[in-house]
Amino acid sequence: MTSQTTIDATGPGDKAPTPPSDRSPASGLRGHPWFTLITVAVGVMMVALDGTIVAIANPAIQSDLKASFADVQWITNGYFLALAVCLITAGKLGDRFGHRQTFLIGVVGFAAASGAIGMSDSIALVITFRVLQGLFGALLMPAALGLLRATFPAEKLNMAIGIWGMVIGASTAGGPILGGVLVEHVNWQSVFFINVPVGILAVALGVVMLVDHRAENAPRSFDILGIALLSAAMFCLVWALIKAPEWGWGSGTTWTFLLAAVVGFAVFAFWETKVKEPLIPLALFRSVPLSAGVVLMVLMAIAFMGGLFFVTFYLQNVHGMGPIDAGLHLLPLTGMMIVGSPLAGAMITKLGPRVPLAGGMAAVAIAMFGMSTLETDTGSAVMSLWFALLGLGLAPVMVGATEVIVGNAPMELSGVAGGLQQAAMQIGGSLGTAVLGAVMASKVDSDLAGNWKDAGLPELTPTQLDQAAEAVQVGVPPVAKGTPEAIATKIADVAHDTFISGMSLASLVAAGVAVVAVLVALLTKRGQNAEAGAGVGHI
């Protein structure tokens, strides 16, 4: 049996679909589009903040709970895996049972898991509840987009997504600053406890403000095998990307997982053509703009997440800044995303997404090229220029690519579309960190021995050289205890120069990815189905 799902192709001038019977006009605060936006923004803020705030707490957690380095890695990897693997399935749950219920369950679960982490006295419990955080975060994120899509009329949707993107950008970039303050002045548990009052506020607002929206032809069954196949394929892909730096890109284990992911996606795609109500109707990807939006989100995340990964090491380990100071130096990036996202929403509404998206990725490419010129003694003013340009370029891409994906999907698949958008960003971030990390490692490995010798430092054994390279890849000078100050200074100079050469090459690769994204952006166009939310509520 082939899929019966069809894709609505109504244009902006066509009549909006008749609202289903369970969808009543909004009155007062309940169901008001802007109050809906405020509510989902509070919930989404928790998830976005947690993506970066925890990194600052990891050293304190490791010390307090006597955890190994591998254990600490799992604090991040467990959360990321659960989030990435479950996003699309969670979006389908929202389409089936209603985005309001899914959002509220996600908020309650995320806040409860956060509180449980704060009360945990073992690393095993911290990791377990971090996985639960990821699962509930996966429920929350696509539901938030589904609620915005169903509540806002077409002419206001881009502005709403712009503010939504502003909240995510500000929370992601502000995480290290807030995390540094909490860890330094309170304790690591406070990093997680802070989600509890935020979650209570989001639930209170959600109960009062949110109205459930379900499309008439929303799915009534579950594609259980499709869920299993997609989850397995996503797990193999993300796991391979996470572990590749440890296993090596040429190792059989890495390629086994990558091959398993390819096979899993192929079998999933075949199965989706046979089931009556597929998890992801493949007809979605007949929309060139939607497919381009997904690819664009992946490429943007590769350039942004991969490039920014090294900037934090550059600020802290090369320039010697503390976590709070490093976070403050990234404020131009955060500030331009905060200011630029709503403006990008207005610009995309007026011009359509193609020009703002292409221009945004061009700005990202220029910014990444500029970051490739950073040196060990580069001043704050020059750094701020490139960080600000990066934020200015990212704003229209975050907003526009999201609108292209969600707006070109039919209303009954808005949750799946939201899951696709988030999954694309998560996979792109993982790819960026893994691939650009491999570029950095390769450059450090090729340059370190020569730079070490040119500086007149004592020759290292192969084992010592490997250990030194691992430290240099994150900008840390491999100085042994008791090393004379003059020798330690030489080692620091070699380590920082070698790190800079690796970061420069990685930034150039990220700039190249952004250039490719400019071309992809030219394939996008305004969402054809965004008017499905028109007439709901009042502006």
Side-chain angles (χ1 to χ4, degrees), residues 207-262:
V207 169
V208 175
M209 304 291 186
L210 299 181
V211 171
D212 194 24
H213 302 290
R214 302 189 202 186
E216 280 184 338
N217 50 345
R220 298 295 178 215
S221 63
F222 278 107
D223 177 13
I224 301 298
L225 182 57
I227 290 172
L229 288 169
L230 180 63
S231 299
M234 287 285 286
F235 176 86
C236 289
L237 173 61
V238 175
W239 184 243
L241 294 175
I242 288 174
K243 300 297 286 185
E246 177 185 335
W247 293 338
W249 281 98
S251 78
T253 307
T254 299
W255 284 100
T256 297
F257 273 95
L258 289 175
L259 181 60
V262 171

Side-chain angles (χ1 to χ4, degrees), residues 63-453:
S63 175
D64 188 33
L65 300 181
K66 306 297 187 289
S68 67
F69 180 69
D71 290 335
V72 174
Q73 283 184 309
W74 267 105
I75 295 174
T76 299
N77 291 345
Y79 173 80
F80 176 75
L81 268 176
L83 185 67
V85 168
C86 297
L87 277 165
I88 295 174
T89 300
K92 192 72 168 186
L93 287 172
D95 291 336
R96 172 67 179 85
F97 294 110
H99 296 299
R100 178 179 183 269
Q101 290 88 328
T102 308
F103 177 82
L104 291 175
I105 291 170
V107 170
V108 170
F110 195 92
S114 299
I117 293 172
M119 293 185 289
S120 297
D121 58 2
S122 73
I123 193 66
L125 284 175
V126 171
I127 293 169
T128 299
F129 288 120
R130 278 288 281 171
V131 171
L132 287 176
Q133 263 193 328
L135 292 174
F136 285 112
L139 284 175
L140 192 160
M141 296 293 276
L145 274 176
L147 285 163
L148 295 182
R149 164 69 189 281
T151 305
F152 277 84
E155 67 273 11
K156 299 287 185 179
L157 182 60
N158 283 318
M159 181 63 72
I161 291 177
I163 296 173
W164 176 86
M166 175 191 73
V167 170
I168 290 181
S171 300
T172 300
I177 302 174
L178 179 59
V181 171
L182 290 173
V183 172
E184 193 171 314
H185 297 290
V186 188
N187 52 38
W188 69 261
Q189 288 90 342
S190 62
V191 167
F192 298 99
F193 282 139
I194 195 174
N195 288 331
V196 176
V198 176
I200 291 172
L201 175 61
V203 170
L205 288 172
V207 169
V208 175
M209 304 291 186
L210 299 181
V211 171
D212 194 24
H213 302 290
R214 302 189 202 186
E216 280 184 338
N217 50 345
R220 298 295 178 215
S221 63
F222 278 107
D223 177 13
I224 301 298
L225 182 57
I227 290 172
L229 288 169
L230 180 63
S231 299
M234 287 285 286
F235 176 86
C236 289
L237 173 61
V238 175
W239 184 243
L241 294 175
I242 288 174
K243 300 297 286 185
E246 177 185 335
W247 293 338
W249 281 98
S251 78
T253 307
T254 299
W255 284 100
T256 297
F257 273 95
L258 289 175
L259 181 60
V262 171
V263 172
F265 284 124
V267 175
F268 168 75
F270 174 76
W271 171 251
E272 294 301 271
T273 65
K274 303 300 179 183
V275 66
K276 182 178 181 181
E277 289 193 330
L279 176 62
I280 305 177
L282 298 186
L284 266 179
F285 297 103
R286 292 177 190 163
S287 167
V288 173
L290 184 146
S291 299
V294 173
V295 173
L296 186 62
M297 190 62 74
V298 172
L299 295 176
M300 181 276 293
I302 290 174
F304 172 44
M305 302 291 193
L308 204 61
F309 177 75
F310 298 110
V311 170
T312 56
F313 294 123
Y314 171 73
L315 294 174
Q316 294 189 49
N317 295 337
V318 175
H319 277 271
M321 299 178 189
I324 297 176
D325 196 17
L328 290 173
H329 272 74
L330 290 172
L331 278 179
L333 168 63
T334 313
M336 292 310 297
M337 290 187 72
I338 292 173
V339 173
S341 293
L343 294 177
M347 183 169 58
I348 291 166
T349 298
K350 185 175 181 179
L351 302 176
R354 188 172 297 159
V355 172
L357 282 173
M361 286 312 306
V364 171
I366 295 170
M368 295 310 300
F369 176 79
M371 287 165 62
S372 75
T373 65
L374 296 178
E375 299 288 348
T376 55
D377 57 351
T378 300
S380 297
V382 174
M383 286 189 279
S384 296
L385 171 66
W386 300 125
F387 295 160
L389 184 60
L390 180 60
L392 187 65
L394 288 171
V397 181
M398 287 283 290
V399 177
T402 300
E403 193 279 334
V404 165
I405 296 169
V406 177
N408 278 288
M411 177 64 74
E412 69 272 14
L413 293 174
S414 60
V416 167
L420 273 173
Q421 183 267 353
Q422 285 294 309
M425 191 165 178
Q426 296 294 335
I427 290 173
S430 181
L431 267 171
T433 304
V435 173
L436 297 187
V439 171
M440 164 66 86
S442 176
K443 183 65 173 173
V444 168
D445 287 344
S446 67
D447 289 1
L448 181 58
N451 292 346
W452 192 276
K453 183 178 180 180

Side-chain angles (χ1 to χ4, degrees), residues 507-521:
S507 298
L508 287 174
V509 173
V513 170
V515 170
V516 174
V518 172
L519 303 178
V520 175

